[in-house]
Amino acid sequence: MDELRTYELRDPATLIREVAKAVVLGEDTAWLALIRHPSTEQALLRVDPLPIPALLDDDDDISEHLRVATEAFGLPWTNNGKGPDHKAVTIVVRPGFAIFGPNEGVWCRGWRYANHLQHVYTGELILVTEHGWVDFMTDACGHEPRMVA
């Protein structure tokens, strides 16, 4: 197996199981998880609720909400020459198939324009439905955990 880049998750399945133990993955919820050393230690530090629903309209601009949530981590920008030690992972919980679609495109666009200026990698998105979960970056997936009815 190739060595992971510092911003890649070592084990998305373990991460989503840890998140499911920390919070209720209820329908139409969205969460932001902070992970230290994602490619090695992959330590889940916190999981915060996002103040927006998981299901979005195509024209929704969620970038301000994502910026504020990322700033709440308190990880100011540093120029250490090696990149961030932390990663923010968005968990979107919605009904339907565990297949990325237009809704998840709105989430990706929101991250693109969030401009949080924090020393943290962002953009990782895990979708959770009643059928299971899937990680956008790696295509890792599983039947458990799943959305809580």
Side-chain angles (χ1 to χ4, degrees), residues 107-146:
W107 283 96
C108 291
R109 186 175 63 241
W111 275 117
R112 180 178 179 139
Y113 297 108
N115 299 324
H116 54 76
L117 299 176
Q118 302 294 294
H119 201 67
V120 60
Y121 294 113
T122 59
E124 183 98 7
L125 183 67
I126 296 178
L127 172 62
V128 179
T129 74
E130 68 269 27
H131 301 286
W133 65 274
V134 61
D135 176 35
F136 179 70
M137 298 300 282
T138 65
D139 284 333
C141 59
H143 295 290
E144 296 290 338
R146 61 182 72 199

Side-chain angles (χ1 to χ4, degrees), residues 7 12 20-21 24 31 34 37 54 64 71 106 110 133-134 143:
Y7 58 83
K21 287 179 185 175
V24 175
W31 306 89
L34 180 64
H37 302 293
E64 178 70 12
E71 287 175 351
V106 176
W133 65 274
V134 61
H143 295 290

Side-chain angles (χ1 to χ4, degrees), residues 5 26 46 79 90 94 101 109:
R5 294 181 177 101
R46 61 195 273 183
N79 188 6
T90 311
R94 63 151 174 85
R109 186 175 63 241

Side-chain angles (χ1 to χ4, degrees), residues 20 23-28 93 128-130 145-149:
V23 301
V24 175
L25 298 174
E27 182 177 337
D28 204 19
V93 187
V128 179
T129 74
E130 68 269 27
R146 61 182 72 199
M147 181 178 74
V148 176

Side-chain angles (χ1 to χ4, degrees), residues 35-145:
I35 294 91
R36 182 179 57 230
H37 302 293
S39 65
T40 55
E41 176 187 4
Q42 190 179 295
L44 177 63
L45 302 180
R46 61 195 273 183
V47 183
D48 297 339
L50 289 168
I52 44 181
L55 290 165
L56 302 168
D57 293 323
D58 289 343
D59 60 346
D60 284 341
D61 180 4
I62 61 171
S63 58
E64 178 70 12
H65 295 290
L66 297 175
R67 182 189 62 75
V68 169
T70 307
E71 287 175 351
F73 289 152
L75 301 171
W77 182 260
T78 59
N79 188 6
N80 61 8
K82 64 178 182 152
D85 291 330
H86 296 83
K87 180 177 187 118
V89 177
T90 311
I91 297 96
V92 174
V93 187
R94 63 151 174 85
F97 293 116
I99 298 171
F100 288 92
N103 184 69
E104 290 69 45
V106 176
W107 283 96
C108 291
R109 186 175 63 241
W111 275 117
R112 180 178 179 139
Y113 297 108
N115 299 324
H116 54 76
L117 299 176
Q118 302 294 294
H119 201 67
V120 60
Y121 294 113
T122 59
E124 183 98 7
L125 183 67
I126 296 178
L127 172 62
V128 179
T129 74
E130 68 269 27
H131 301 286
W133 65 274
V134 61
D135 176 35
F136 179 70
M137 298 300 282
T138 65
D139 284 333
C141 59
H143 295 290
E144 296 290 338

